[in-house]
Amino acid sequence: FPLADVAAIAPFWEVGFSNIIYYQESSQWCLLEKAYVQVQQAFSSVWNFFPTHIFTATWTVVAPVMQNLGLNTFQAVLATDGNMSFVALYYYTIVWGNRDGVIAGLNAGDGTTFEVVNTPSGSLLMDSNIGIPGVYVYRVDQFDVLQPSECYNGDLSITEMGLLEMCVNNTWTRICA
């Protein structure tokens, strides 16, 4: 990443591997509620989001071509309410590829806007951007990919103490005392 002309949600970007992919688009209440809870854990300031649709893709028994290194399982979930959109990446079993140049992340396809999953320990399974090992959540409905602590200019939030904040220069700023 970045790649021009290739927009991608890439939970595990590796050339030449075989796998089985299951996918599902849903508006079932229980799945929407699970997506809502995960977004709230990551972006507690986004109080006005409840997804209306989710798309889930799960890769199972992912094996590198012509090598016997084991099997990986991971998942990407896209949740949207038609206005805001979030992507959650879940890593269940990662046996190979963590330190072998495999990229995980998001790419807008414009050659400049992208987010590579940050793994300080080198392990997709052990690291996280929300404090839950193997789970990464991003807001993706604007031109930039946002980490949980970031915001879009103009967003409004109510703090736990009931104070109103607005996002100014991608930073939460109290607007009422």
Side-chain angles (χ1 to χ4, degrees):
F1 291 164
L3 301 172
D5 302 322
V6 178
I9 297 170
F12 199 83
W13 185 272
E14 169 65 19
V15 177
F17 64 88
S18 60
N19 59 49
I20 299 170
I21 303 172
Y22 299 96
Y23 61 92
Q24 169 187 1
E25 192 265 332
S26 179
S27 57
Q28 290 180 347
W29 175 257
C30 61
L31 297 175
L32 296 175
E33 184 178 34
K34 183 176 180 181
Y36 167 79
V37 168
Q38 191 74 80
V39 168
Q40 290 303 306
Q41 286 175 328
F43 292 86
S44 59
S45 61
V46 181
W47 53 271
N48 58 340
F49 174 79
F50 191 87
T52 55
H53 290 85
I54 63 168
F55 179 84
T56 303
T58 305
W59 289 258
T60 62
V61 296
V62 178
V65 175
M66 297 186 289
Q67 296 181 27
N68 187 14
L69 298 176
L71 304 173
N72 292 350
T73 300
F74 48 90
Q75 184 176 67
V77 177
L78 175 61
T80 186
D81 66 358
N83 183 35
M84 290 183 272
S85 298
F86 297 85
V87 170
L89 304 175
Y90 299 93
Y91 297 93
Y92 301 108
T93 307
I94 301 295
V95 178
W96 65 274
N98 262 10
R99 298 171 191 249
D100 302 324
V102 172
I103 295 175
L106 310 160
N107 188 68
D110 61 5
T112 58
T113 307
F114 67 98
E115 181 76 27
V116 175
V117 173
N118 184 17
T119 57
S121 74
S123 172
L124 291 168
L125 193 59
M126 300 304 295
D127 291 321
S128 174
N129 71 341
I130 65 167
I132 301 171
V135 179
Y136 304 80
V137 181
Y138 303 92
R139 185 171 173 190
V140 294
D141 54 87
Q142 299 282 332
F143 293 109
D144 294 320
V145 175
L146 290 187
Q147 294 279 349
S149 61
E150 299 172 317
C151 58
Y152 288 124
N153 290 333
D155 282 353
L156 294 174
S157 175
I158 299 175
T159 68
E160 291 177 7
M161 296 177 59
L163 302 173
L164 185 62
E165 293 182 328
M166 177 182 272
C167 186
V168 178
N169 297 323
N170 298 96
T171 303
W172 288 112
T173 304
R174 187 174 302 145
I175 59 174
C176 293

